[in-house]
Amino acid sequence: MENAVKKYRNRRDARLGMKMSQHFDCIEEYRLRRAERLKKSRMDADDEEGVWRTTDNGHKILIKDGIVVGGNPFAVAPMGKPEGKEIPKTVKQVKENRELFGFLAKKENRDSMAESLSGRKEDCVFGGYYKVQQKEGNALFFNPYTGETFDVTTAFDFAGPWGMEYNSKPDKLGTAIEGIKVNEQVQKLYRRATGDVQKGDTVQVVGGRTLEHGLKAKVRAVYDTRYGKYVYLDNGQKIQAKHLSIVDEDGDLVRSSEGKSSDASKALKEKREAETKITAEISEKAVREVIGDVKTKAKVLSALKQAGYKVSDETDEGMYGKSGFNYKIKRPNGGFVRIYKSPTGRINIQDWKPTPVEETKLRSDDEIKDAKFHVNNFLEKHKKDESFDFDKLPKHEKYFYVMAKTASYFLSQGMSPRKAWTRALDTADFQDSKNYEGYGKTKSETEEAKEFLEALMDGLRK
């Protein structure tokens, strides 16, 4: 056996042209693979800096500048604020921790993480994250030491058999997270960093026409109105939040979130106006004037580009030949102008505009209100029926049943209420016109009919 192994190794070395025993160490290779695998599980694959420490229970934690930045998520989760570190007064940049968000989004990790976070008395988790927001089945955490955030779902919707009744319930992890209090100090710091103007902030006017640019004042009150967020200053004046920047503790300016949105909208509006200007020039007449008497492929393309058109070259030499071409100038809102030259040498210009799509006419608010009223009366009448049979219903009640069932379906699919009830009315009218022939029947079992009616009623109330 020993000779056989030796012969195999000699053949392998001759085939590879090297002494494998001098270049390959199985144990060292295993150690490298294991280190790489553990590194990924500790969520620090891209972070080579910092110091690894072992906790009392044997977990590895990565610490950088006194702050926990990596390690096994289950071990890091119950860790409180960094030792000897005070909450900073300002945060310059806010970024999302996508890795931690993705870890908590996986169902297989949620129950185990719930055990790590259950019974928390401190408001700091994951070595520096504080809760800054809790609403509508979602919690947001912010790390003032690193500027990172992550959000996690705390409650999930459970739909009934007809998609109408929804019960939002927290799971184990959601219950544990909802038990953690919001830290008001860190919440205020997070809002300032993201540009959320708050009472007591020092602000500077950077836009608008009502107040002098550069004016600084303290915020006395903030109100949300139908026209946007208004800020009342301690000098007795008021101004829209979109015209302000917040002055942080270091004297730097943080653009208000409304201002950021306004700036983005302004840039988008300017872009659309520029596109509209170009679109007005994309026509058969305009393109024909640009081309003029030019005939060759290269010169036509050059003339179009010099005029400012964005040209798409869709030439197929097998169809148009080497001297032919097929160019398209697409409109941003649909359609195009096509310039093509066939092998015969003739240049053609085609202006194609898409046929406008006719939208379904939505029912009026009064019609929908009336439909809901009659459907609700129908459901109230039959909710306690011992049995339920569609065929035995009077014709006008069949109409309301079809309407209720149709609205239930489309609402459960996420359709807007007005569109869903428009579909319901249209369907009921159609079925009524053919006397409900062939309409699917509901099973007559008592429990199933009762559950169906109760589901519809719950949905209508919501």
Side-chain angles (χ1 to χ4, degrees):
M1 183 66 182
E2 185 176 348
N3 290 334
V5 172
K6 188 175 181 180
K7 288 180 180 179
Y8 161 75
R9 288 175 175 170
N10 288 336
R11 291 198 305 271
R12 180 194 62 190
D13 293 346
R15 185 178 73 253
L16 299 176
M18 66 172 69
K19 288 282 187 180
M20 285 296 295
S21 58
Q22 297 177 5
H23 297 275
F24 186 76
D25 188 330
C26 295
I27 295 177
E28 184 61 27
E29 286 289 327
Y30 166 75
R31 286 175 177 169
L32 291 174
R33 291 197 305 274
R34 181 175 181 273
E36 189 66 24
R37 185 177 70 253
L38 293 177
K39 190 178 182 181
K40 291 180 180 179
S41 68
R42 292 193 302 247
M43 299 174 68
D44 69 315
D46 296 325
D47 197 335
E48 298 293 342
E49 300 180 5
V51 179
W52 284 98
R53 299 289 175 83
T54 304
T55 62
D56 294 338
N57 55 10
H59 291 295
K60 301 293 184 180
I61 305 297
L62 179 62
I63 299 176
K64 181 180 178 182
D65 298 329
I67 301 168
V68 176
V69 294
N72 186 303
F74 298 107
V76 176
M79 296 188 70
K81 63 182 180 180
E83 293 184 11
K85 288 281 184 180
E86 296 295 330
I87 295 176
K89 294 182 179 180
T90 63
V91 176
K92 301 301 181 185
Q93 185 179 6
V94 176
K95 56 185 177 180
E96 187 177 11
N97 187 329
R98 295 295 302 174
E99 199 167 20
L100 192 51
F101 166 79
F103 182 84
L104 294 174
K106 294 180 180 177
K107 186 177 180 181
E108 60 268 23
N109 296 332
R110 292 184 66 88
D111 288 346
S112 300
M113 186 58 72
E115 296 179 7
S116 302
L117 292 176
S118 60
R120 289 288 298 166
K121 294 182 179 179
E122 293 185 45
D123 59 357
C124 186
V125 295
F126 288 96
Y129 286 89
Y130 297 83
K131 187 198 283 188
V132 293
Q133 184 175 288
Q134 174 75 59
K135 64 176 183 179
E136 299 177 359
N138 184 274
L140 178 66
F141 287 82
F142 176 57
N143 188 333
Y145 311 101
T146 63
E148 292 181 305
T149 67
F150 74 85
D151 64 320
V152 57
T153 302
T154 58
F156 298 87
D157 285 337
F158 297 90
W162 290 87
M164 288 290 285
E165 70 275 26
Y166 289 90
N167 301 308
S168 186
K169 300 178 182 178
D171 61 357
K172 292 180 180 179
L173 179 60
T175 301
I177 287 177
E178 288 181 356
I180 300 174
K181 295 182 179 180
V182 171
N183 186 295
E184 294 183 358
Q185 179 185 357
V186 179
Q187 182 187 58
K188 187 176 181 67
L189 183 62
Y190 167 74
R191 287 179 175 175
R192 178 177 295 174
T194 54
D196 188 2
V197 180
Q198 308 164 81
K199 181 180 178 181
D201 281 343
T202 299
V203 294
Q204 179 173 321
V205 179
V206 295
R209 300 178 181 178
T210 57
L211 299 180
E212 181 184 356
H213 291 195
L215 172 68
K216 291 184 181 181
K218 279 192 173 293
V219 176
R220 181 167 56 85
V222 181
Y223 294 97
D224 284 312
T225 72
R226 60 184 297 184
Y227 303 107
K229 182 181 286 187
Y230 273 86
V231 177
Y232 290 78
L233 307 176
D234 60 357
N235 60 8
Q237 297 172 309
K238 72 174 183 178
I239 188 173
Q240 284 186 295
K242 67 180 181 180
H243 300 315
L244 297 174
S245 285
I246 305 168
V247 183
D248 69 11
E249 299 294 335
D250 295 337
D252 295 332
L253 297 181
V254 180
R255 192 77 168 97
S256 67
S257 55
E258 292 77 15
K260 295 174 185 176
S261 177
S262 178
D263 294 342
S265 298
K266 186 177 179 181
L268 180 60
K269 183 179 179 181
E270 291 175 351
K271 181 180 178 182
R272 285 178 175 173
E273 287 177 350
E275 289 177 348
T276 304
K277 185 177 180 182
I278 295 174
T279 302
E281 300 172 354
I282 301 178
S283 65
E284 179 183 351
K285 181 180 178 182
V287 171
R288 197 175 294 278
E289 290 177 357
V290 168
I291 294 176
D293 298 329
V294 175
K295 298 293 183 183
T296 64
K297 178 178 180 179
K299 288 185 177 180
V300 168
L301 181 60
S302 177
L304 292 172
K305 288 186 175 180
Q306 285 181 9
Y309 290 122
K310 293 182 179 179
V311 183
S312 173
D313 187 352
E314 301 182 8
T315 305
D316 180 357
E317 287 192 5
M319 181 180 295
Y320 296 96
K322 291 186 178 181
S323 62
F325 55 82
N326 180 26
Y327 298 141
K328 279 186 181 179
I329 304 171
K330 298 179 182 178
R331 294 189 179 90
N333 58 351
F336 58 85
V337 172
R338 177 185 174 212
I339 309 98
Y340 63 99
K341 181 180 179 181
S342 62
T344 60
R346 181 181 177 183
I347 294 180
N348 302 284
I349 300 177
Q350 176 189 22
D351 193 339
W352 184 85
K353 298 177 182 178
T355 305
V357 180
E358 293 184 5
E359 296 185 359
T360 303
K361 185 178 180 182
L362 298 178
R363 300 294 184 112
S364 67
D365 292 337
D366 289 338
E367 285 182 287
I368 293 174
K369 184 178 179 181
D370 186 61
K372 288 182 178 179
F373 173 78
H374 287 293
V375 167
N376 193 56
N377 287 343
F378 164 75
L379 296 175
E380 285 285 354
K381 178 180 177 181
H382 292 281
K383 69 178 182 179
K384 295 182 180 179
D385 286 358
E386 294 297 327
S387 62
F388 186 85
D389 191 337
F390 176 80
D391 289 337
K392 293 181 180 180
L393 292 174
K395 189 174 181 181
H396 71 282
E397 290 195 352
K398 289 181 179 180
Y399 183 87
F400 300 137
Y401 175 85
V402 173
M403 192 191 305
K405 189 174 180 182
T406 307
S408 169
Y409 172 76
F410 285 114
L411 288 169
S412 70
Q413 300 301 309
M415 185 178 287
S416 67
R418 191 171 181 185
K419 284 186 177 180
W421 282 99
T422 297
R423 289 279 188 94
L425 282 160
D426 292 343
T427 303
D429 288 343
F430 172 74
Q431 291 295 338
D432 186 67
S433 67
K434 65 173 191 174
N435 203 28
Y436 306 97
E437 294 180 5
Y439 187 78
K441 300 178 182 179
T442 301
K443 293 182 180 179
S444 59
E445 285 84 349
T446 302
E447 288 302 318
E448 184 172 343
K450 186 177 179 181
E451 288 179 4
F452 162 64
L453 293 173
E454 289 176 352
L456 289 176
M457 292 187 67
D458 289 342
L460 285 169
R461 291 191 188 98
K462 294 181 179 180

